[in-house]
Amino acid sequence: MPSIGPRTARTLLAAGTLVAALALTACDPEAGAGTDAAPAATPTAAATTAAPSSPAPAATSATARAGGKPSGGKRTVISTQHAAGLTKSSGDGTISDVPVDPGEMRDGMNLVVENYDRAGQTSGRRILFVGVDNVPEDTGKRREHLWRGLIDYAAGNGSTGTPGTGTPYAPGPFGGSLECLPYGADALCGWADSSTAAVALFPQSSPASAAKLFASMRADLEQ
């Protein structure tokens, strides 16, 4: 047998290795799908595609779109010459002091105290109105405070009997709550909303009639 030199041996070894590799590839077709296969989509790319768009801005309320004042916004009480057909009293009907304790008055609060005459009235018991605004506590509690003072005033100025139970009535376009109660032949009413509280004495009036008039007075006494 002829001898094989070093160079020939290396050539035969390399050829054998190549044949073995080709044989393995033929048996397992997926073994060759390495670097030549198309790369899979990366998680970052998938997340970017699925990312939601920016949220839409919150809807604006109908009141805000219309430029109006929300029904729960701050309001004030004012002194006015006329309120729901009533006229501010003058002469002996003019109020010179505060007949009803309005509660603690702080900076920024307004107090309105007025007597009002019905059409043609020149004497007798007047409608007394007491109102405050920028109330720092719950306005319902301030109304209760005003009511207690109004009951004391009414007892000393012609009202007889015992105060009855309060009944809620329609508060008018300014919202909040409005209640009236009987006191003998008279009626006491009070309103409370987001920032104001007010009460009034209506001599010789039923609670239902007084409530209707009081709700109308708000349009002139509150703004």
Side-chain angles (χ1 to χ4, degrees), residues 55-143:
T60 305
S61 69
T63 303
R65 288 197 299 271
K69 188 173 186 178
S71 60
K74 276 193 171 184
R75 298 189 181 278
T76 59
V77 291
I78 61 172
S79 176
T80 180
Q81 185 67 26
H82 301 283
L86 307 175
T87 302
K88 186 166 67 174
S89 301
S90 58
D92 63 353
T94 304
I95 295 179
S96 58
D97 60 1
V98 180
V100 175
D101 177 15
E104 182 181 2
M105 296 297 296
R106 302 181 183 180
D107 290 344
M109 295 180 66
N110 296 311
L111 169 66
V112 175
V113 182
E114 298 290 358
N115 273 340
Y116 281 94
D117 294 330
R118 299 178 185 273
Q121 181 178 0
T122 57
S123 63
R125 301 169 65 207
R126 269 83 175 192
I127 294 173
L128 171 66
F129 172 82
V130 182
V132 293
D133 59 22
N134 288 313
V135 177
E137 77 274 13
D138 181 88
T139 55
K141 293 182 178 179
R142 181 58 68 102
R143 177 176 59 185

Side-chain angles (χ1 to χ4, degrees), residues 184-207:
D186 304 329
L188 308 181
C189 292
W191 87 58
D193 56 26
S194 62
S195 59
T196 73
V199 296
L201 164 64
F202 295 88
Q204 299 295 307
S205 178
S206 68

Side-chain angles (χ1 to χ4, degrees), residues 51-56:
S53 59
S54 301

